[in-house]
Amino acid sequence: MVAPCCRITSFARCLAFAGALIVGLVVATPYASASCSDLTQNGTETGVDCGGPCLTCDGAACSAGGQCKSGSCVDSVCAVVYSVNPSQGTAAAKPGGTAIAIDPTLTIGGSGTIAGARVLIASGLSSSQDVLAMPATTGITASYASSTGILTLSGTRSVAEYQAALRTVTYRNTNGTSPSMADRVITFSLGQNGLALEATGHFYEFVTGTLTWHAAETAAANRRYFGFRGYLVTVTSAAENAFVAAKLAGQGWMGSNDAGSERTWRWVTGPEGLEAGGAGRHFFTQTSGGSGGTATNGLRVDGSGSNCTVAGDCASGVCTSGTCKNYHNWSGGEPNQWGGDEDYGHFLTNSQWNDYRQDNGSIQGYVVEFGGMPNDPPSVLSGSRTVRILPLTCFDLAKNQTETDVDCGGVCSPCGTAQVCLTGSDCASLVCTGSGTKTCQEATCSDVVRNGNESDTDCGGSCAQDCADGKRCTENADCASNKCIGNICQVVACDDSVKNGDETDVDCGGSCGPCGNGNGCDDLGDCLSGYCSLAEICSTPNCNDGEHNALETGIDCGGILCGPCGSGSSA
């Protein structure tokens, strides 16, 4: 039971409140403000839980990410934040067997519609025996190219419909006698035109057209991919070069030139183009004689310097005589200034590089890269799952080869609970324990392993423990902050459009600013009105609210504010 001066904790404060209340009763009227997290468009909101008193809706004007419901402001517009979230573990396929669903529990975060998607065998492709397919789906069509291992989905449908469609995509290996045993890494990507390289998280697109280098640079910068800004591609590793060359065939411009300083080749577009005060990353020095040259020193993976012992120490994957070098793939004798002032880099059709004049008419197009630019949305537009090709011995109902139990463990599918194992990878739960003979355990929320439907180790999903800031998540409910963006739990903030931390309502109360009438409260300091009702709602007390509050001597009567109490009421 709350005292008559409801939540006003001293007599002096109570009297001061009474003076303010007399004025407040004249000018203030109780109201119920719409919540910014009730999944309904109400009050003065211009969209569901956005606009009006809430954060800015996707697609509306902004000047900073903190103004947006999505948390991302791109080109002065609030961007939709998407995420592709594959399941944990691997899928297993029998050579020559039936098609298997690659990821029947994959999820896509975001809102609105998607105009296409791609499923790509990113590594391990054997074009003569690998097949991707999708059952008939209303409004979405699928086409598979065996030579590239790409299943292209077309049709503009909702996020939920694309999620349902991608969950049905299947993989089948057609060779039942001598299959390629390499793991197939299957990448799911949103959008019909871009292809994602898992190592960088960036997307790439070859655009056909005979343009000058400068025109291509402008055209690339004007392209967008789910809010990511485009730029002429910058190639910084052999893996990236191979990916672009194999999946995006064609002779096209890239983002390099030595136009600023002859023989000093720089990446002048994308994130690399922002380096050196905007001059771009210097990656290659052409010989003074005019042809060939040497790569400049690069950085270790951790950015701590240029010394290396193996290629894996270097961000570029190039270690020469103990020093990391920047990657390049010039054709023999290039760059060479042949035929005039050749200052601009481009791909040859064999994946090697050449230099041209900026207006050379032989160019067939240009390669656009998306990702890594400042203020890009925190979207995760692709995700991968591995399909393991199982040996035929994994189906012979006997424990043999490297199996830890009958037809499971080792190179076969993971074993179930109570089956014999040697390591966690032998188990579906990833937990293998026991004295003597080890067995696979059930997944729990306290086994210090990310398993089951957990979004991170022992938190999220069906676990009672919410995930801390910086941990993985698939939805807001996985996070202690109740805010999941880009599959990462975000820090609690007073402008994140979520009730979290010590807030008593969405972005107000507690350590945030006071709440307006109609919002939740714990104490008077949580309210702009200075009053928190018995029902813990901010409001302005009045003589008709059914509560014994302020200076009333009875419910809605007595004191200096209300009329006298009737018979039987406190006087």
Side-chain angles (χ1 to χ4, degrees):
M1 178 65 182
V2 181
C5 245
C6 177
R7 301 181 186 276
I8 301 179
T9 56
S10 75
F11 181 70
R13 293 176 68 189
C14 193
L15 290 178
F17 174 76
L21 180 59
I22 293 172
V23 176
L25 284 172
V26 176
V27 298
T29 302
Y31 66 94
S33 62
S35 168
C36 293
S37 59
D38 59 7
L39 304 180
T40 303
Q41 183 178 341
N42 46 26
T44 58
E45 296 171 1
T46 58
V48 176
D49 294 340
C50 63
C54 307
L55 294 177
T56 305
C57 299
D58 299 331
C62 59
S63 58
Q67 299 172 355
C68 302
K69 180 182 178 183
S70 67
S72 181
C73 182
V74 180
D75 293 338
S76 300
V77 175
C78 289
V80 178
V81 175
Y82 292 95
S83 63
V84 177
N85 313 304
S87 304
Q88 301 171 60
T90 62
K94 179 181 179 179
T98 59
I100 63 161
I102 300 167
D103 195 345
T105 59
L106 173 144
T107 61
I108 301 177
S111 60
T113 59
I114 298 174
R118 286 190 173 190
V119 184
L120 160 72
I121 301 178
S123 68
L125 172 66
S126 178
S127 57
S128 63
Q129 56 189 258
D130 294 338
V131 178
L132 299 179
M134 185 191 77
T137 302
T138 302
I140 301 176
T141 59
S143 175
Y144 180 63
S146 59
S147 60
T148 58
I150 299 173
L151 179 72
T152 301
L153 278 59
S154 305
T156 301
R157 310 298 289 185
S158 70
V159 167
E161 288 173 296
Y162 262 97
Q163 174 180 281
L166 290 174
R167 287 178 172 182
T168 68
V169 172
T170 61
Y171 167 83
R172 182 167 68 93
N173 184 284
T174 61
N175 190 323
T177 56
S178 56
S180 166
M181 300 304 295
D183 284 351
R184 274 53 163 186
V185 177
I186 313 293
T187 299
F188 298 86
S189 300
L190 301 186
Q192 190 174 350
N193 296 323
L195 290 167
L197 174 60
E198 187 175 13
T200 64
H202 293 187
F203 282 73
Y204 303 81
E205 178 185 13
F206 184 85
V207 182
T208 302
T210 303
L211 299 176
T212 67
W213 186 92
H214 289 294
E217 180 190 28
T218 299
N222 287 330
R223 296 182 79 85
R224 296 291 180 270
Y225 198 74
F226 289 93
F228 289 131
R229 290 185 287 171
Y231 50 90
L232 285 181
V233 66
T234 58
V235 182
T236 58
S237 70
E240 187 174 19
N241 193 76
F243 183 86
V244 172
K247 304 301 181 183
L248 302 170
Q251 182 170 302
W253 293 119
M254 61 176 61
S256 65
N257 68 43
D258 69 343
S261 176
E262 195 66 48
R263 294 188 295 276
T264 298
W265 282 87
R266 296 180 181 272
W267 294 116
V268 296
T269 59
E272 293 77 12
L274 301 176
E275 297 176 11
R281 180 184 297 180
H282 180 198
F283 71 94
F284 189 84
T285 301
Q286 190 175 335
T287 61
S288 57
S291 62
T294 57
T296 59
N297 288 353
L299 291 174
R300 290 174 53 86
V301 172
D302 60 10
S304 62
S306 295
N307 63 302
C308 59
T309 55
V310 295
D313 292 336
C314 304
S316 63
V318 180
C319 178
T320 303
S321 300
T323 301
C324 292
K325 296 290 184 178
N326 279 304
Y327 174 78
H328 70 88
N329 194 38
W330 294 108
S331 183
E334 301 294 345
N336 60 13
Q337 295 290 89
W338 183 84
D341 195 21
E342 295 186 322
D343 289 339
Y344 299 87
H346 72 96
F347 282 102
L348 296 170
T349 55
N350 66 357
S351 84
Q352 292 184 315
W353 306 352
N354 184 36
D355 56 336
Y356 266 168
R357 291 174 57 92
Q358 72 96 18
D359 56 356
N360 191 301
S362 299
I363 286 292
Q364 301 163 339
Y366 56 98
V367 181
V368 187
E369 183 174 354
F370 305 89
M373 292 295 284
N375 297 321
D376 274 350
S379 293
V380 181
L381 300 180
S382 68
S384 299
R385 193 162 199 241
T386 297
V387 173
R388 179 166 297 163
I389 308 301
L390 300 181
L392 294 174
T393 55
C394 294
F395 306 93
D396 59 7
L397 302 180
K399 181 180 180 297
N400 47 31
Q401 302 297 321
T402 62
E403 298 167 8
T404 60
D405 211 318
V406 176
D407 291 345
C408 72
V411 296
C412 299
S413 298
C415 297
T417 301
Q419 290 188 288
V420 176
C421 57
L422 293 178
T423 67
S425 61
D426 294 324
C427 304
S429 67
L430 303 177
V431 181
C432 173
T433 62
S435 57
T437 301
K438 295 182 179 180
T439 57
C440 294
Q441 308 299 308
E442 290 188 19
T444 71
C445 294
S446 59
D447 52 18
V448 199
V449 174
R450 183 185 174 218
N451 50 24
N453 68 350
E454 298 167 1
S455 59
D456 210 313
T457 302
D458 293 341
C459 67
S462 59
C463 293
Q465 179 65 47
D466 291 330
C467 297
D469 300 337
K471 297 292 187 179
R472 287 179 293 241
C473 55
T474 57
E475 59 181 351
N476 289 338
D478 291 330
C479 303
S481 66
N482 200 31
K483 188 72 171 181
C484 176
I485 294 181
N487 300 122
I488 298 296
C489 290
Q490 305 297 303
V491 176
V492 171
C494 294
D495 62 352
D496 57 11
S497 197
V498 173
K499 181 180 180 296
N500 48 24
D502 66 349
E503 297 167 4
T504 59
D505 213 307
V506 177
D507 293 341
C508 68
S511 56
C512 298
C515 298
N517 286 356
N519 289 315
C521 57
D522 289 334
D523 208 339
L524 62 92
D526 296 324
C527 302
L528 281 168
S529 67
Y531 178 69
C532 180
S533 74
L534 292 172
E536 299 188 333
I537 299 295
C538 291
S539 61
T540 302
N542 63 74
C543 298
N544 297 293
D545 57 13
E547 289 192 9
H548 185 178
N549 49 33
L551 299 181
E552 298 170 359
T553 57
I555 297 176
D556 294 340
C557 67
I560 61 174
L561 303 174
C562 304
C565 296
S567 176
S569 298
S570 298

mmCIF file of all heavy atoms in Angstrom, residues 1 27 32 49 66 74 76 131 200 215 217 257 277 284 291 406 533 558:
data_model
loop_
_atom_site.group_PDB
_atom_site.id
_atom_site.type_symbol
_atom_site.label_atom_id
_atom_site.label_comp_id
_atom_site.label_asym_id
_atom_site.label_seq_id
_atom_site.Cartn_x
_atom_site.Cartn_y
_atom_site.Cartn_z
ATOM 1 N N MET A 1 0.866 -1.194 0.000
ATOM 2 C CA MET A 1 0.000 0.000 0.000
ATOM 3 C C MET A 1 0.891 1.229 0.000
ATOM 4 O O MET A 1 1.839 1.331 0.772
ATOM 5 C CB MET A 1 -0.904 0.017 1.242
ATOM 6 C CG MET A 1 -1.801 1.255 1.329
ATOM 7 S SD MET A 1 -2.986 1.290 -0.034
ATOM 8 C CE MET A 1 -3.837 2.827 0.285
ATOM 9 N N VAL A 27 -3.726 23.075 -16.213
ATOM 10 C CA VAL A 27 -3.223 23.036 -17.585
ATOM 11 C C VAL A 27 -3.014 21.622 -18.115
ATOM 12 O O VAL A 27 -2.849 21.441 -19.308
ATOM 13 C CB VAL A 27 -1.892 23.812 -17.677
ATOM 14 C CG1 VAL A 27 -2.109 25.261 -17.324
ATOM 15 C CG2 VAL A 27 -0.823 23.186 -16.774
ATOM 16 N N ALA A 32 -2.960 8.797 -22.454
ATOM 17 C CA ALA A 32 -2.204 7.557 -22.603
ATOM 18 C C ALA A 32 -1.383 7.649 -23.877
ATOM 19 O O ALA A 32 -1.937 7.722 -24.964
ATOM 20 C CB ALA A 32 -3.152 6.360 -22.687
ATOM 21 N N ASP A 49 5.651 1.339 -34.665
ATOM 22 C CA ASP A 49 6.644 1.650 -33.641
ATOM 23 C C ASP A 49 7.758 2.569 -34.144
ATOM 24 O O ASP A 49 8.912 2.484 -33.695
ATOM 25 C CB ASP A 49 7.264 0.360 -33.067
ATOM 26 C CG ASP A 49 6.250 -0.470 -32.291
ATOM 27 O OD1 ASP A 49 5.234 0.091 -31.882
ATOM 28 O OD2 ASP A 49 6.486 -1.683 -32.120
ATOM 29 N N GLY A 66 21.629 7.001 -34.789
ATOM 30 C CA GLY A 66 20.867 6.968 -33.559
ATOM 31 C C GLY A 66 19.449 7.464 -33.693
ATOM 32 O O GLY A 66 18.608 7.222 -32.824
ATOM 33 N N VAL A 74 22.062 5.805 -43.847
ATOM 34 C CA VAL A 74 22.900 5.709 -45.040
ATOM 35 C C VAL A 74 22.422 6.716 -46.062
ATOM 36 O O VAL A 74 21.240 6.710 -46.447
ATOM 37 C CB VAL A 74 22.856 4.280 -45.644
ATOM 38 C CG1 VAL A 74 23.737 4.205 -46.879
ATOM 39 C CG2 VAL A 74 23.309 3.252 -44.618
ATOM 40 N N SER A 76 21.734 9.735 -45.742
ATOM 41 C CA SER A 76 20.678 10.557 -45.128
ATOM 42 C C SER A 76 19.315 9.873 -45.131
ATOM 43 O O SER A 76 18.278 10.531 -45.038
ATOM 44 C CB SER A 76 20.582 11.926 -45.830
ATOM 45 O OG SER A 76 21.809 12.635 -45.717
ATOM 46 N N VAL A 131 24.142 -30.618 -57.392
ATOM 47 C CA VAL A 131 22.890 -30.022 -57.870
ATOM 48 C C VAL A 131 22.206 -29.297 -56.711
ATOM 49 O O VAL A 131 21.979 -29.875 -55.643
ATOM 50 C CB VAL A 131 21.921 -31.090 -58.427
ATOM 51 C CG1 VAL A 131 20.606 -30.437 -58.868
ATOM 52 C CG2 VAL A 131 22.561 -31.845 -59.586
ATOM 53 N N THR A 200 35.477 -11.887 -46.732
ATOM 54 C CA THR A 200 35.371 -10.440 -46.524
ATOM 55 C C THR A 200 33.983 -10.005 -46.086
ATOM 56 O O THR A 200 33.824 -8.925 -45.507
ATOM 57 C CB THR A 200 35.716 -9.677 -47.816
ATOM 58 O OG1 THR A 200 34.746 -9.992 -48.837
ATOM 59 C CG2 THR A 200 37.109 -10.044 -48.311
ATOM 60 N N ALA A 215 33.718 7.403 -65.602
ATOM 61 C CA ALA A 215 32.266 7.186 -65.644
ATOM 62 C C ALA A 215 31.897 5.932 -64.852
ATOM 63 O O ALA A 215 30.879 5.896 -64.158
ATOM 64 C CB ALA A 215 31.790 7.073 -67.084
ATOM 65 N N GLU A 217 33.610 4.729 -62.323
ATOM 66 C CA GLU A 217 33.789 5.060 -60.910
ATOM 67 C C GLU A 217 32.539 5.739 -60.359
ATOM 68 O O GLU A 217 32.058 5.399 -59.265
ATOM 69 C CB GLU A 217 34.994 5.971 -60.721
ATOM 70 C CG GLU A 217 35.244 6.367 -59.274
ATOM 71 C CD GLU A 217 36.277 7.457 -59.117
ATOM 72 O OE1 GLU A 217 36.430 8.278 -60.049
ATOM 73 O OE2 GLU A 217 36.929 7.500 -58.060
ATOM 74 N N ASN A 257 44.609 3.158 -59.849
ATOM 75 C CA ASN A 257 45.258 3.980 -60.872
ATOM 76 C C ASN A 257 46.552 4.573 -60.330
ATOM 77 O O ASN A 257 46.828 4.531 -59.132
ATOM 78 C CB ASN A 257 44.322 5.079 -61.406
ATOM 79 C CG ASN A 257 43.980 6.155 -60.393
ATOM 80 O OD1 ASN A 257 44.839 6.636 -59.656
ATOM 81 N ND2 ASN A 257 42.705 6.545 -60.355
ATOM 82 N N GLY A 277 45.053 9.723 -46.004
ATOM 83 C CA GLY A 277 44.427 11.031 -46.100
ATOM 84 C C GLY A 277 43.545 11.204 -47.315
ATOM 85 O O GLY A 277 43.306 12.333 -47.765
ATOM 86 N N PHE A 284 51.551 -0.809 -55.105
ATOM 87 C CA PHE A 284 52.498 -1.277 -56.124
ATOM 88 C C PHE A 284 53.246 -0.075 -56.686
ATOM 89 O O PHE A 284 52.664 0.983 -56.930
ATOM 90 C CB PHE A 284 51.745 -1.988 -57.251
ATOM 91 C CG PHE A 284 52.620 -2.705 -58.251
ATOM 92 C CD1 PHE A 284 53.078 -3.984 -57.994
ATOM 93 C CD2 PHE A 284 52.978 -2.089 -59.444
ATOM 94 C CE1 PHE A 284 53.873 -4.650 -58.918
ATOM 95 C CE2 PHE A 284 53.769 -2.747 -60.381
ATOM 96 C CZ PHE A 284 54.228 -4.041 -60.112
ATOM 97 N N SER A 291 57.792 -0.794 -67.214
ATOM 98 C CA SER A 291 57.028 -2.027 -67.176
ATOM 99 C C SER A 291 57.359 -2.821 -65.914
ATOM 100 O O SER A 291 58.499 -2.846 -65.452
ATOM 101 C CB SER A 291 57.300 -2.888 -68.403
ATOM 102 O OG SER A 291 58.661 -3.270 -68.441
ATOM 103 N N VAL A 406 28.072 -46.849 -34.576
ATOM 104 C CA VAL A 406 27.599 -47.383 -35.850
ATOM 105 C C VAL A 406 27.119 -46.264 -36.769
ATOM 106 O O VAL A 406 26.168 -45.542 -36.449
ATOM 107 C CB VAL A 406 26.464 -48.404 -35.613
ATOM 108 C CG1 VAL A 406 25.900 -48.888 -36.948
ATOM 109 C CG2 VAL A 406 26.976 -49.579 -34.787
ATOM 110 N N SER A 533 1.667 6.910 -10.409
ATOM 111 C CA SER A 533 0.432 6.437 -9.787
ATOM 112 C C SER A 533 0.621 5.085 -9.105
ATOM 113 O O SER A 533 1.650 4.426 -9.251
ATOM 114 C CB SER A 533 -0.669 6.321 -10.835
ATOM 115 O OG SER A 533 -0.447 5.196 -11.663
ATOM 116 N N GLY A 558 -11.398 15.638 -0.347
ATOM 117 C CA GLY A 558 -10.689 16.225 0.778
ATOM 118 C C GLY A 558 -9.424 16.936 0.355
ATOM 119 O O GLY A 558 -9.081 17.035 -0.826
#
